[in-house]
Every structure is written in C-alpha cells, then in structure tokens.
Amino acid sequence: DGGITQSPKYLFRKEGQNVTLSCEQNLNHDAMYWYRQDPGQGLRLIYYSQIVNDFQKGDIAEGYSVSREKKESFPLTVTSAQKNPTAFYLCASSMAGYYTFGSGTRLTVV
Amino acid sequence: RKEVEQDPGPFNVPEGATVAFNCTYSNSASQSFFWYRQDCRKEPKLLMSVYSSGNEDGRFTAQLNRASQYISLLIRDSKLSDSATYLCAVNDPDNYGQNFVFGPGTRLSVLP
C-alpha cells in the first residue's frame, strides 16, 4: 500500500537537545510538507519541498531545519533554537492538490 | 499573507440534524478547494473536493460561491461518527510551492 510514514509516534526532548522527525513516502509525490499543530489550532506550515535538494521556509521555520536528499524522504530537525517545540507535527505529500498526511509525531519537551 | 478563515465553532448538534460550515478565502484567483476531516489526535484526511458545480457525496454536499469567495460543507442527517474537526484547503496561486492553505478548522460535535 502506498502511503506516508512518520516516526516516531511519540518523542520526548530534553531542553537544549536537537531531535529529528522522520517522514517517508512511497506515493511518488514530488511535493512534501511539514506542519505544526497546537491544541485546538489549525495547521501551520514549517517547511515545504517541491523537488529533491530544494526546500522553502514556511510561516514558522525558525528553530527548524529540513533536508530533501531523496524524493521519498523529508526529515525535520527540531533544534534547540525552537523555544516551544511541544506540538503535534504532521508531514504531508501532495499531487495535484490532494494531500496525504502521515499519522503525525507528538513531540513533548521534558 | 493569503487568508483562509472558517466558522470557529464548536458546533454542537443533535443526531439527525443538518449542519453547515463556511470557509472564506481572500485570493479571488484561487481555483481549487477541498474539505478535510480531522479526528481528535489524528491526521487530516481528504473528505471531498469542491467543484464549481458543487459536489455531493452521500450526506455531504460541498458548494463554491466564487462571487462571495467562500466554500461550504453541508452535512445532512448527522451521525455521532461525524464528530470531528473539518478543515478547508484553498490553493494559493501566488505561491506555487506552498500551493494550498488550510483553514483553522471547525469542530463539530454530534450529540446523542
């Protein structure tokens, strides 16, 4: 089955630590996205990528970094510069406007 | 910044009721529209597309009003299982890369 896989499902980060969230898709989609969702809020775009080796900042990119070395993979690193990282992180890929989302990673700072 | 706004909700309706949500968009050049459903603590999933002529899928009807720049979602004969947050997505013609903007969502609770 084609789909988009995020891991881990739950992640705990200590203060000052960098963590990387994985996102892999086998849908052959060119475009991939990372969103952040806080409780009761909508989706806020962190980064997006239209093609391999290219990505663009979204609305809330500060404190985050990404790479797109392969079409299938778009990992997100939450750096220590992100002061309030506790949130639900969603990865998505799209083709012709149809977005497919991963099941999300719930990140908590401890 | 292109804006997409939705009725804030929450909408609390009894089973069997008909409920409608609106989603307004600011860019008159937007051409593509979708509704997504998001269950609590889950990822959004595509519910339906919104065509110029409207779109009906069972109890769900999506409409587009270009003149007033909004789309709507109508749910008839609400079921308990319809309880979720409904997100609209609107394409942003001015930003090819991030070509869809999601609304903040409208939460629906269908009560027994």
Side-chain angles (χ1 to χ4, degrees), chain A residues 25-68:
Chain A
Q25 55 105 353
N26 61 2
L27 299 166
N28 201 33
H29 288 172
D30 287 315
M32 296 188 74
Y33 308 83
W34 273 104
Y35 292 91
R36 169 180 171 144
Q37 189 174 39
D38 293 284
Q41 304 296 313
L43 305 177
R44 291 191 289 168
L45 183 66
I46 304 172
Y47 269 98
Y48 61 97
S49 169
Q50 281 289 99
I51 57 173
V52 174
N53 293 322
D54 186 59
F55 48 82
Q56 305 295 329
K57 292 182 179 180
D59 299 316
I60 56 165
E62 186 175 349
Y64 300 98
S65 66
V66 294
S67 63
R68 188 85 185 275

